[in-house]
Amino acid sequence: MTSAAPVTLGLAGTGRIGTSHAETLTHLPGVGGVIVADADAERARATAGKLGVQAVPDLDALFAADLNGLIIATATDSHPALITRAVDRGIPVFCEKPVAADIQGTLAVIDHIKNSTVPVQIGFQRRFDAGYRAARAAITSGDLGWLHTLRATTLDPAPPPAEYIPRSGGLFRDCGVHDFDIIRWVTGREVTEVYATGANRGEQFFADAGDVDTAAIVLRLDDGTLATVSLARYNGAGYDVRLEALGSEGNAVVGLDDRAPLTSVEPDCTPSPFPAYPGFMERFRRAYTDELAAFVSVVNGESDNPCTVTDALEAFYIAEACELSRHDGRAVQITEVRR
């Protein structure tokens, strides 16, 4: 059996995540060429020069190239147009979350591509992390018995720039959506109800944007399992992302390693000598690589799409319900936001 020919991939957006993806692609088996473009043509040229890949002056030139697949790492408001343009040209897509800035925009993309066989993979990299995969296996195998509680945590060491917050979609859509997706994925269950609350203890720009810098969420799954999600923009100890799956027969904990930014005050506990992860890029570096390797496999028709647009929509529904719950101060059924 012969292996697939190397693919040529286009990459739109050479900011932090786009540049990281481009660098990963240069070392990825099965990738024969990388072509980058950005609204800032000089930034694209600089990235290309540093990595030894090709740059083109704009997105029109990128689409004019002979691409086997497209990776979208641009600003959120450009995602829908780029996804639909690529699908209409028969080009498989990998797009960083979210699909669109809101549910209406996401549904419009789904409607546009619903009759197409061109795959669109959405970037929820935690699905490719070894710890989350092990937790999923432990849950689905029945080794944990029946689940009674999940506890998810995403705590950033420092907030993003003030100018990012008004266009971020808010803490639930920007940050918590990763926890919502991974809870669905590891359990194979759907969320039916949420209760969310938030607080602002940090910079005023969060409140000015109608957002919060800290949140606590309770989710009810369709089998009665309860899940809690803790989110924060200020966690000076370091980047802290964990998931605890607690069952009647055992438990599985993701993210509890030597770099977890946890300080025990028990007298007999020895502190870890290893530094905490400074951010998500370092914590999930291998997962990002495996995610792009999966996309190459999807492009070659060797694997099914591991994270569809519909998956992204379901996580977005949960985030939307959280925002409504915070605003109204009540529990919200997912059916209230589903369209």
Side-chain angles (χ1 to χ4, degrees):
M1 182 176 180
T2 59
S3 60
V7 299
T8 298
L9 299 177
L11 187 143
T14 54
R16 178 171 62 159
I17 189 68
T19 298
S20 177
H21 286 336
E23 183 176 10
T24 297
L25 292 171
T26 63
H27 304 290
L28 205 61
V31 176
V34 179
I35 306 172
V36 302
D38 193 283
D40 182 343
E42 180 54 40
R43 184 166 72 172
R45 284 194 293 271
T47 298
K50 181 176 69 174
L51 299 178
V53 301
Q54 180 183 350
V56 291
D58 52 37
L59 291 175
D60 288 339
L62 186 63
F63 275 97
D66 187 16
L67 302 179
N68 301 114
L70 175 68
I71 295 163
I72 300 171
T74 53
T76 294
D77 57 3
S78 67
H79 290 185
L82 291 173
I83 291 171
T84 55
R85 184 178 182 182
V87 170
D88 288 348
R89 294 181 177 223
I91 302 172
V93 175
F94 172 91
C95 183
E96 283 297 335
K97 66 86 184 166
V99 175
D102 54 25
I103 289 176
Q104 182 177 352
T106 305
L107 288 171
V109 171
I110 291 174
D111 184 65
H112 187 96
I113 68 174
K114 64 183 178 183
N115 295 320
S116 174
T117 59
V118 178
V120 178
Q121 178 181 335
I122 305 302
F124 281 102
Q125 84 284 353
R126 294 186 194 184
R127 292 182 176 217
F128 297 88
D129 178 75
Y132 285 106
R133 290 189 163 229
R136 185 176 192 242
I139 292 168
T140 57
S141 69
D143 288 349
L144 307 187
W146 48 266
L147 291 183
H148 57 78
T149 305
L150 292 119
R151 293 199 289 250
T153 300
T154 297
L155 309 177
D156 291 330
E163 60 270 18
Y164 173 76
I165 298 303
R167 56 189 175 86
S168 70
L171 186 61
F172 302 119
R173 301 183 189 95
D174 178 52
C175 181
V177 71
H178 284 284
D179 296 283
F180 307 147
D181 175 73
I182 208 64
I183 285 171
R184 292 184 63 246
W185 187 73
V186 300
T187 63
R189 314 301 309 192
E190 298 295 344
V191 174
T192 60
E193 181 184 79
V194 313
Y195 177 79
T197 188
N200 281 305
R201 302 291 306 281
E203 296 289 343
Q204 180 63 31
F205 60 73
F206 288 101
D208 291 344
D211 196 10
V212 292
D213 60 48
T214 306
I217 306 152
V218 178
L219 309 176
R220 183 180 296 275
L221 308 191
D222 57 11
D223 64 349
T225 302
L226 297 179
T228 64
V229 180
S230 296
L231 308 173
R233 297 292 197 184
Y234 293 90
N235 194 59
Y239 185 65
D240 188 4
V241 171
R242 284 174 286 120
L243 177 71
E244 301 169 45
L246 311 177
S248 61
E249 301 296 329
N251 63 71
V253 182
V254 181
L256 188 60
D257 60 18
D258 289 335
R259 299 190 69 179
L262 302 173
T263 303
S264 175
V265 294
E266 298 297 332
D268 295 330
C269 285
T270 302
S272 172
F274 301 101
Y277 293 105
F280 65 91
M281 298 287 288
E282 295 80 9
R283 166 64 178 84
F284 290 111
R285 188 169 302 282
R286 178 57 188 267
Y288 280 120
T289 299
D290 290 347
E291 179 181 56
L292 291 176
F295 178 60
V296 172
S297 184
V298 169
V299 167
N300 285 325
E302 299 166 343
S303 301
D304 293 333
N305 186 350
C307 190
T308 67
V309 175
T310 301
D311 286 322
L313 175 63
E314 291 300 326
F316 211 132
Y317 278 140
I318 301 168
E320 194 80 359
C322 287
E323 195 62 66
L324 179 60
S325 175
R326 179 177 76 89
H327 182 271
D328 289 359
R330 64 178 178 89
V332 171
Q333 304 293 316
I334 298 298
T335 53
E336 295 183 53
V337 299
R338 188 179 296 280
R339 302 170 195 169

